[in-house]
Amino acid sequence: MPELPDIAAYLGALESRVLGEPLTKIRINGPFLLRSVTPPPSAFEGKAVRSLRRVGKRIALGFDDDLWLVLHLMIAGRLHWKPAGAKISGKYHLGAFDFSNGTLVLTEAGSKRRASLTLYASEAEMMASDPGGIDVFSADLDTFRSALVRENHTLKRSLTDPRILSGIGNAYSDEILHAAKLSPILLTRKLTPEEWQRLFDSTRAVLKMWMDRLGSEAAGGFPEKVTAFRDDMAVHGRFGKPCPVCGQPIQRIRYADNETNYCPHCQTGGRLLADRGLSRLLGKDWPRTLEEMEELKKR
């Protein structure tokens, strides 16, 4: 799912293309894309874009007359900038937003249709849909800590909860926790003052680094390689590959459609975290350390 750095890259590319430009037409090709009834898409025709904003993991475009268009890309939704009037066809092309200077095309890979378009009649109505997570770049350490300790959850869950923090998902939470040298299953109310400082600093540093990197990649073009799996990430999507800090193999915890990647040496004191499926299957034979896992593989 595109997260804060990816959304920032999209917004940066859109600013030079659509800000001040009138929207000539909204074309909807996916029957489940539009999630609102009023105002209708036709109300936006001829209206110019006056504002671009990130609302959590959503992209919001503000138009004349306080109309707002919000795109939620979910897991597989992506945006593409095409020549004006570009055709949309096939099951992956869900919609298009036509401007005189080009067309913004929304695609979604896979069979599940989760990406959405919601139209709002006012900014107040649009902002009511904001999950409410704080912006880590405008918050201080005390605000950050207070938000995460309201409920006693694991760091992984708290970092990715949109009601707590804005714009962070599965990929960048892995990177943040690795940079902070903290276990993904450490409970928020168990952190020491020094660990809170590391987590706060790492959250801002990791997001800023990736915002700068993705912005530079898209400079002069449009972000066409938005993905949660990048070769230069430290741990996310790198199961079995060496940690860039210590060289030990990256491990993972899998649950439903998500997985958490971490380095046992850097983050958990050498302890392997129990994967629900495998640890239930192996029971007492579940290895507790990397050394025990290597011995298990030799049997």
Side-chain angles (χ1 to χ4, degrees):
M1 177 183 292
E3 301 175 30
L4 193 159
D6 311 289
I7 299 301
Y10 275 139
L11 289 173
L14 286 171
E15 182 176 2
S16 62
R17 290 168 171 80
V18 305
L19 197 59
E21 294 291 329
L23 178 66
T24 58
K25 190 174 183 61
I26 296 177
R27 291 180 281 152
I28 297 175
N29 193 43
F32 304 108
L33 178 64
L34 184 61
R35 305 296 174 86
S36 57
V37 178
T38 58
S42 59
F44 288 73
E45 294 177 5
K47 302 293 194 301
V49 178
R50 299 303 179 190
S51 178
L52 291 166
R53 188 182 304 174
R54 179 184 64 83
V55 181
K57 297 173 190 171
R58 301 169 175 85
I59 294 173
L61 285 75
F63 290 80
D64 291 328
D65 300 335
D66 200 25
L67 295 174
W68 287 83
L69 181 160
V70 177
L71 292 169
H72 196 345
L73 302 178
M74 295 301 288
I75 294 176
R78 297 293 185 269
L79 296 177
H80 313 272
W81 186 254
K82 303 292 184 183
K87 293 182 179 180
I88 55 172
S89 59
K91 61 182 180 179
Y92 297 143
H93 289 73
L94 302 188
F97 308 88
D98 293 319
F99 297 87
S100 60
N101 60 334
T103 293
L104 183 66
V105 175
L106 169 62
T107 65
E108 186 175 22
S111 58
K112 297 178 180 179
R113 291 292 169 260
R114 295 173 175 171
S116 66
L117 163 66
T118 308
L119 305 177
Y120 296 97
S122 69
E123 181 180 6
E125 183 182 329
M126 183 271 293
M127 289 305 298
S129 68
D130 185 356
I134 64 169
D135 179 0
V136 297
F137 292 110
S138 61
D140 58 17
L141 175 59
D142 287 339
T143 303
F144 178 81
R145 179 172 51 218
S146 296
L148 269 73
V149 298
R150 279 200 296 265
E151 298 178 9
N152 192 29
H153 293 307
T154 65
L155 288 178
K156 176 70 174 188
R157 177 175 172 181
S158 296
L159 287 176
T160 57
D161 188 333
R163 301 169 302 164
I164 298 174
L165 297 177
S166 177
I168 302 175
N170 199 40
Y172 291 105
S173 61
D174 282 351
E175 297 299 290
I176 288 166
L177 290 171
H178 180 264
K181 299 181 180 179
L182 293 171
S183 167
I185 65 169
L186 180 62
L187 294 174
T188 53
R189 293 178 184 172
K190 296 291 186 180
L191 269 67
T192 66
E194 190 272 336
E195 288 172 334
W196 274 116
Q197 188 68 60
R198 287 210 319 263
L199 180 62
F200 179 65
D201 292 343
S202 295
T203 300
R204 292 160 63 108
V206 167
L207 293 175
K208 179 65 165 57
M209 178 188 73
W210 281 101
M211 288 170 66
D212 292 344
R213 186 173 299 182
L214 299 186
S216 296
E217 288 179 5
F222 197 83
E224 291 289 350
K225 295 181 180 180
V226 173
T227 175
F229 303 98
R230 295 178 176 274
D231 292 338
D232 45 355
M233 282 184 163
V235 290
H236 185 73
R238 293 178 54 81
F239 173 63
K241 296 180 180 179
C243 168
V245 175
C246 70
Q248 294 295 318
I250 300 301
Q251 300 301 311
R252 68 185 175 193
I253 312 169
R254 289 177 293 186
Y255 180 73
D257 291 335
N258 292 323
E259 68 176 51
T260 295
N261 302 109
Y262 68 99
C263 171
H265 182 271
C266 295
Q267 295 174 252
T268 63
R271 184 168 64 93
L272 290 180
L273 304 180
D275 178 276
R276 290 195 177 191
L278 285 176
S279 60
R280 187 178 294 117
L281 176 66
L282 295 175
K284 293 181 179 179
D285 290 331
W286 172 254
R288 306 301 176 188
T289 65
L290 287 172
E291 290 76 13
E292 289 182 15
M293 176 173 280
E294 290 304 315
E295 288 299 320
L296 186 64
K297 289 179 181 178
K298 295 175 183 178
R299 295 179 187 174

